[in-house]
């Protein structure tokens, strides 16, 4: 069977890739088992050298790679370049710290008694990935797993399969053995095959529904399962922001960058009533000025949606919000054009009866709601089954901190939003996930501690 790769900007098929079968997966898994044993015995520095070389190759070929990413996902070319360049910070961070994070810890060395922790790799892990930021979310898993001495079977989303094959090509060219990293091609049904095989860990990025299914399906194996899932990330704009217009520009970028298809995109905005009208005017002016068009055009900020089916989700949210009393300030409809285009959409006077404030939109649409106090803002921000990020724009640090401390989310932002850094863990709570990537926590996810109790007599 072949996987058709479609350009979401035109609807045209770019190419077809041969899908892997269950038998391929089993053969590759066996080969990875052998490869992993030798790989884990190599010094951390040697494994790191391969990752650094991989980073250099990606840099050298970044223009061609950006074009591939843009063609298969519809991400505007400049944003494809940003993603590829930005992902290098993971490699720099690993180069600096991996050796330290993976070294043995000698805890007791007194007389004849010695106690230490040795961090051993998990073995062969399955990495089932998403299409929206394949470099960022892929690197978060497979680079850290490889440096920690694991072998990886990487299943890219069917919407980012060409990029997945590039990861495989350049990792092998950089010296990662063939039987240490394998990219397998197929849709969700191939992901399902991976769940049925005996991997030593499952590392998933994607939706809550699939993440929950994965956790339930592999639970009996008692191996580590890590889930980086969706969000309904709130942003509160307090009336004491220094510049309402600038706050609106930053909030709009947080909501509409990558066409809103970011796990940590701003998905709902609460605004203090005294600046509500001024904020809405500035926000609508900013979003109304975004250039929509061919993602290969250098000036484009909003391209097509990666998946055609999301147009129905967005149309339904608009209809539902208007029926329940929201005012449509901008957009609201698919664009009559080849490809999966949807107008950047701003709904105001929203409330929590509306789907747009409660369900992940994952597209160029935002709901804005007026609030009269911090207490009300906190209650609304917390009214969600998700727990990925929450943000406050305010000139008062103490005020912002007291709001952010209330949030049951893996990440909080003050005067910024929609950002990820390799220095700090990336994790979701509640329906946004389980476990952490990035930082020292992110590498510890790929090792298991072995406790040594040693007596010299
Ligand atoms: P899906 O859950 O649909 O897909 C994610 C991955 O799972 C894809 O590789 C998919 O394959 C695969 N898959 C689908 N069905 C199965 C199955 N039964 N068994 C195993 N694997 C399967 O996610 P989306 O494509 O909708 O991705 C967007 C979601 O990802 C959003 O909710 C977003 O918020 C979240 N996300 C979270 C991030 C985080 O760090 N927290 C980062 C990025 C995205 P295929 O695509 O080929 O069907």
């Amino acid at each position: 069977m072949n996987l058709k790769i479609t350009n979401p900007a035109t609807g045209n098929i770019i190419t077809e890739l041969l899908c892997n079968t269950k038998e391929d997966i089993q053969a590759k898994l066996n080969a990875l088992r052998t490869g992993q044993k030798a790989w884990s015995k190599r010094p951390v520095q040697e494994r790191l050298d391969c990752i650094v070389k991989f980073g250099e190759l990606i840099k050298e070929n970044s223009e061609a790679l950006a074009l591939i990413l843009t063609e298969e996902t519809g991400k505007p070319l400049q944003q494809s370049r940003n993603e590829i360049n930005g992902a290098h910070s993971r490699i720099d961070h690993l180069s600096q710290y991996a050796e330290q994070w993976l070294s043995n810890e000698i805890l007791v060395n007194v007389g004849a008694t010695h106690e230490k922790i040795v961090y051993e790799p998990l073995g062969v892990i399955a990495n089932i990935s998403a299409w929206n930021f394949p470099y960022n979310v892929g690197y978060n898993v497979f680079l850290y797993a490889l440096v920690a001495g694991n072998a990886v079977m990487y299943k890219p989303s069917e919407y980012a399969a060409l990029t997945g094959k590039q990861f495989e090509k350049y990792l092998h060219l950089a010296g990662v053995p063939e039987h240490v990293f394998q990219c397998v091609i197929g849709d969700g049904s191939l992901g399902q095959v991976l769940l049925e095989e005996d991997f030593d860990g499952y590392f998933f990025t994607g939706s809550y529904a699939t993440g929950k299914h994965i956790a339930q399906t592999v639970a009996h194996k008692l191996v580590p399962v890590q889930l980086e899932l969706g969000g309904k990330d709130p942003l509160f704009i307090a009336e004491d922001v220094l510049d309402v217009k600038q706050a609106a520009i930053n909030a709009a970028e947080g909501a509409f960058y990558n066409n809103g298809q970011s796990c940590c995109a701003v998905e709902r905005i609460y605004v203090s009533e005294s600046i509500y009208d001024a904020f809405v005017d500035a926000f609508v002016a900013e979003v109304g000025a975004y250039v929509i068009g061919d993602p290969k055009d250098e000036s484009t900020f909003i391209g097509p949606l990666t998946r055609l089916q999301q147009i129905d989700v967005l149309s339904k949210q608009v209809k539902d919000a208007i029926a329940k009393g929201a005012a449509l300030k901008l957009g609201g409809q698919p664009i009559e054009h080849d490809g999966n285009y949807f107008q950047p959409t701003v709904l105001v006077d929203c409330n929590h009866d509306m789907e747009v404030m409660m369900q992940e939109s994952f597209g160029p649409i935002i709901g804005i709601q007026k609030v009269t106090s911090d207490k009300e803002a906190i209650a609304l921000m917390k009214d969600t089954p998700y727990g990925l990020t929450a943000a406050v724009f305010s000139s008062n640090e103490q005020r912002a901190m007291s709001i952010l401390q209330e949030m049951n989310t893996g990440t909080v932002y003050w005067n910024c939003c929609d950002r990820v850094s390799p220095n700090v863990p990336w994790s979701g709570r509640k329906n946004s996930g389980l476990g952490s990537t990035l930082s020292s926590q992110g590498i510890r996810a790929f090792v298991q501690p072995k406790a040594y109790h040693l007596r010299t007599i």
Side-chain angles (χ1 to χ4, degrees):
M1 204 178 83
N2 282 354
L3 182 69
K4 291 186 172 65
I5 311 292
T6 306
N7 180 339
T10 60
N12 296 335
I13 292 170
I14 306 166
T15 185
E16 295 190 19
L17 296 176
L18 187 63
C19 290
N20 287 109
T21 61
K22 187 176 175 66
E23 290 69 34
D24 295 339
I25 298 298
Q26 288 168 340
K28 283 174 189 286
L29 178 55
N30 286 337
L32 288 169
R33 287 227 170 278
T34 311
Q36 190 269 331
K37 287 195 174 64
W39 177 247
S40 67
K41 291 194 172 65
R42 286 170 65 173
V44 175
Q45 190 55 53
E46 269 186 44
R47 299 197 296 255
L48 262 176
D49 289 346
C50 295
I51 300 308
V52 170
K53 178 74 191 160
F54 166 76
E56 288 165 6
L57 291 171
I58 295 289
K59 233 177 224 166
E60 280 164 28
N61 294 282
S62 61
E63 212 42 44
L65 291 169
L67 203 55
I68 292 171
L69 183 57
T70 291
E71 284 205 323
E72 69 177 337
T73 65
K75 192 188 292 270
L77 197 51
Q78 190 50 47
Q79 294 178 30
S80 291
R81 292 189 190 113
N82 291 350
E83 182 185 346
I84 293 171
N85 294 334
H88 290 307
S89 61
R90 275 103 169 135
I91 297 176
D92 295 342
H93 201 245
L94 275 172
S95 303
Q96 211 177 337
Y97 293 110
E99 195 130 27
Q100 177 194 327
W101 291 333
L102 293 170
S103 354
N104 300 343
E105 286 179 48
I106 315 277
L107 298 161
V108 174
N109 212 357
V110 182
T113 303
H114 308 275
E115 293 173 5
K116 65 176 179 178
I117 307 172
V118 172
Y119 292 102
E120 297 183 345
L122 299 176
V124 184
I125 63 125
N127 177 193
I128 301 174
S129 200
W131 46 266
N132 61 332
F133 281 95
Y135 282 82
N136 288 334
V137 299
Y139 281 19
N140 289 358
V141 174
F142 66 72
L143 293 185
Y144 288 68
L146 289 170
V147 170
N150 300 277
V152 178
M153 189 176 285
Y154 176 73
K155 192 203 100 57
S157 162
E158 62 194 284
Y159 302 102
L162 296 177
T163 296
K165 289 308 274 181
Q166 297 299 311
F167 293 155
E168 182 181 60
K169 172 180 161 185
Y170 287 111
L171 281 168
H172 292 169
L173 280 173
V176 174
E178 197 186 324
H179 293 148
V180 170
F181 184 90
Q182 284 284 311
C183 169
V184 294
I185 296 299
D187 60 15
S189 62
L190 189 80
Q192 184 67 32
V193 171
L194 265 59
L195 306 186
E196 286 150 19
E197 299 301 326
D198 279 331
F199 286 88
D200 301 310
Y202 289 85
F203 292 80
F204 171 77
T205 308
S207 63
Y208 165 69
T210 311
K212 187 172 152 207
H213 167 74
I214 289 176
Q216 286 171 337
T217 308
V218 303
H220 69 281
K221 298 177 200 264
L222 300 183
V223 296
V225 176
Q226 190 155 299
L227 308 170
E228 302 282 355
L229 310 177
K232 189 70 192 169
D233 298 359
L235 164 61
F236 171 43
I237 316 278
E239 75 292 339
D240 63 2
V241 287
L242 292 179
D243 182 342
V244 173
K245 187 171 172 222
Q246 191 57 50
I249 292 169
N250 296 348
E253 192 182 14
F256 289 90
Y257 191 82
N258 200 34
N259 223 349
Q261 302 169 119
S262 309
C263 53
C264 53
V266 172
E267 284 252 342
R268 48 199 174 109
I269 301 178
Y270 305 96
V271 186
S272 294
E273 69 179 332
S274 62
I275 58 161
Y276 185 78
D277 291 340
F279 177 85
V280 167
D281 287 349
F283 191 90
V284 169
E286 175 66 11
V287 177
Y290 285 156
V291 178
I292 308 164
D294 180 351
K296 285 195 203 156
D297 192 324
E298 295 289 344
S299 60
T300 295
F301 185 71
I302 302 278
L305 288 156
T306 303
R307 293 170 310 169
L308 178 62
Q309 61 266 40
Q310 203 64 10
I311 288 184
D312 286 343
V313 174
L314 301 178
S315 301
K316 192 166 159 279
Q317 289 193 352
V318 172
K319 212 169 141 205
D320 171 79
I322 293 170
K324 291 172 181 164
L328 180 66
K329 282 282 183 179
L330 200 68
Q333 286 185 12
I335 297 174
E336 294 293 327
H337 191 288
D338 291 337
N340 317 333
Y341 285 87
F342 197 89
Q343 295 170 335
T345 297
V346 181
L347 290 154
V348 302
D349 302 342
C350 292
N351 63 55
H352 277 212
D353 292 335
M354 299 170 186
E355 290 174 9
V356 73
M357 300 304 275
M358 300 306 289
Q359 293 173 13
E360 192 178 34
S361 305
F362 224 59
I365 173 172
I366 193 79
I368 305 180
Q369 180 166 351
K370 189 185 290 179
V371 290
T372 52
S373 66
D374 289 7
K375 195 169 163 222
E376 186 187 8
I378 291 169
L380 290 168
M381 290 167 90
K382 287 172 78 171
D383 181 26
T384 173
Y386 291 104
L388 194 58
T389 83
V392 174
F393 287 3
S394 162
S395 56
N396 182 334
E397 181 173 2
Q398 218 181 349
R399 177 180 181 185
M401 290 308 136
S402 68
I403 296 169
L404 295 175
Q405 277 159 13
E406 293 286 326
M407 298 297 123
N408 189 12
T409 56
T411 294
V412 290
Y413 303 113
W414 176 43
N415 290 335
C416 58
C417 55
D418 190 28
R419 90 185 276 280
V420 177
S421 157
N423 301 308
V424 286
W426 184 247
S427 62
R429 298 185 185 175
K430 303 196 288 177
N431 289 2
S432 291
L434 202 63
S436 301
T437 53
L438 301 176
S439 79
S440 57
Q441 318 262 346
I443 205 148
R444 288 282 159 81
F446 298 102
V447 289
Q448 45 197 340
K450 183 180 277 179
Y452 281 75
H453 300 246
L454 307 170
R455 298 272 301 162
T456 49
I457 50 162

